[in-house]
Amino acid sequence: MPALPAPDYPADVRARLDADADEVIARYPDSRSALLPLLHLVQAEDGHVTRTGIRFCAERLGLTTAEVTAVSTFYTMYRRAPGGDYQVGVCTNTLCAVLGGDAIFDELKRHLGVDNGGTTADGKVTLEHIECNAACDYAPVMMVNWEFFDNRTPESARALVDDLRAGRPVEPTRGAPLCTYKETARILAGFPDRRPGAVEAGGGAGPASLAGLRLARGEGAHRVGPPRGEPPQDERPPEHPGSHDAPQQTSASDPEHPSGPVTKEGEG
């Protein structure tokens, strides 16, 4: 068990965090609702949710440290231990795995010399597998500090982490420019991203996400479904009965084998 109570932040850090926390808490009618962004705030300070950060959140919201710990350990976006400047997540859910996600993850573990959740010795990269990045149309997908890197291969994934470790510029496939894990955590706490052009770079759905919509509108080579505004045709496709559709003998069609017990009048 860790020594209790947890130490407080130095006075200057505490004053700065108190001012930020005042701004966060003021957004909510119930202060308890500010717990998630406050956890991101302390993570932006320390790089992970420390015992001191848990104490800070508990004191500001009138909660117990047990209540704060329960929330911080439930959500995977809160680190429980120190990590790297760049959280590199590889989707290993079904579609990404089939299209190469498992191979990418295995290659990065070998190349970086770490296992799932491990951090490189230079403190630059923490590797983790992610169940789903919600970007199946760009599979296999990686995320770095929650920014998308689409259509990866083992080779491009290896080049990406090498660039991160070397400090070379790295551009996400879509979305805002990449920043460090601590900077990302502060944005997730609800503070504006002041970098020039960062908000404008957020963008919307990419071409792969809109392919189905274009086809439904008849904008592609093949139309999916009836044209927009045109009611479906009444024609039914030809029926091809399966074995379960074949005529069955029932009490109506086969009187010698009725469906229920047969009794004569007067019998119990």
Side-chain angles (χ1 to χ4, degrees), residues 234-242 245:
D234 292 331
E235 298 179 4
R236 298 179 60 186
E239 295 184 1
H240 301 284
D245 297 316

Side-chain angles (χ1 to χ4, degrees), residues 12-112:
D12 59 329
V13 175
R14 176 68 191 236
R16 174 165 45 79
L17 291 177
D18 275 330
D20 287 339
D22 288 341
E23 182 177 339
V24 171
I25 294 170
R27 302 173 192 157
Y28 301 93
D30 184 346
S31 63
R32 186 188 183 103
S33 300
L35 178 54
L36 296 182
L38 280 192
L39 285 168
H40 282 299
L41 177 65
V42 297
Q43 190 160 248
E45 183 65 32
D46 301 313
H48 69 290
V49 178
T50 63
R51 291 170 49 237
T52 297
I54 289 173
R55 171 184 169 178
F56 174 81
C57 293
E59 290 178 352
R60 289 307 315 259
L61 300 178
L63 302 174
T64 66
T65 54
E67 289 174 309
V68 176
T69 300
V71 173
S72 68
T73 55
F74 179 83
Y75 294 101
T76 58
M77 289 180 73
Y78 300 120
R79 285 178 175 172
R80 305 184 192 184
D85 293 333
Y86 299 99
Q87 187 92 1
V88 175
V90 181
C91 183
T92 55
N93 213 339
T94 306
L95 185 57
C96 279
V98 169
L99 293 177
D102 284 342
I104 290 171
F105 189 57
D106 289 341
E107 173 62 17
L108 290 184
K109 286 193 294 183
R110 183 202 64 77
H111 183 64
L112 297 174

Side-chain angles (χ1 to χ4, degrees), residues 1-264:
M1 293 294 292
L4 297 176
D8 198 358
Y9 286 110
D12 59 329
V13 175
R14 176 68 191 236
R16 174 165 45 79
L17 291 177
D18 275 330
D20 287 339
D22 288 341
E23 182 177 339
V24 171
I25 294 170
R27 302 173 192 157
Y28 301 93
D30 184 346
S31 63
R32 186 188 183 103
S33 300
L35 178 54
L36 296 182
L38 280 192
L39 285 168
H40 282 299
L41 177 65
V42 297
Q43 190 160 248
E45 183 65 32
D46 301 313
H48 69 290
V49 178
T50 63
R51 291 170 49 237
T52 297
I54 289 173
R55 171 184 169 178
F56 174 81
C57 293
E59 290 178 352
R60 289 307 315 259
L61 300 178
L63 302 174
T64 66
T65 54
E67 289 174 309
V68 176
T69 300
V71 173
S72 68
T73 55
F74 179 83
Y75 294 101
T76 58
M77 289 180 73
Y78 300 120
R79 285 178 175 172
R80 305 184 192 184
D85 293 333
Y86 299 99
Q87 187 92 1
V88 175
V90 181
C91 183
T92 55
N93 213 339
T94 306
L95 185 57
C96 279
V98 169
L99 293 177
D102 284 342
I104 290 171
F105 189 57
D106 289 341
E107 173 62 17
L108 290 184
K109 286 193 294 183
R110 183 202 64 77
H111 183 64
L112 297 174
V114 299
D115 208 337
N116 182 44
T119 301
T120 54
D122 57 10
K124 293 292 185 180
V125 170
T126 296
L127 179 66
E128 66 170 348
H129 79 82
I130 298 176
E131 286 300 323
C132 185
N133 281 325
C136 304
D137 38 1
Y138 293 97
V141 174
M142 294 171 58
M143 294 192 91
V144 179
N145 294 347
W146 315 114
E147 299 295 347
F148 286 104
F149 290 80
D150 303 320
N151 302 312
R152 296 289 101 180
T153 65
E155 294 73 25
S156 65
R158 189 170 60 245
L160 172 61
V161 296
D162 285 347
D163 287 342
L164 292 172
R165 298 182 72 184
R168 291 188 285 266
V170 170
E171 293 293 331
T173 309
R174 50 202 165 97
L178 194 63
C179 55
T180 67
Y181 187 83
K182 288 184 177 182
E183 291 168 337
T184 302
R186 183 169 177 83
I187 295 170
L188 291 173
F191 293 95
D193 189 344
R194 303 292 188 187
R195 295 174 299 161
V199 175
E200 293 76 10
S209 302
L210 301 175
L213 179 60
R214 293 199 308 274
L215 289 173
R217 288 174 172 171
E219 298 171 2
H222 303 283
R223 185 183 300 280
V224 179
R228 181 178 292 270
E230 179 179 318
Q233 300 298 317
D234 292 331
E235 298 179 4
R236 298 179 60 186
E239 295 184 1
H240 301 284
S243 59
H244 62 284
D245 297 316
Q248 301 294 316
Q249 294 289 350
T250 67
S251 59
S253 61
D254 187 8
E256 295 183 2
H257 297 86
S259 59
V262 178
T263 59
K264 294 181 179 179

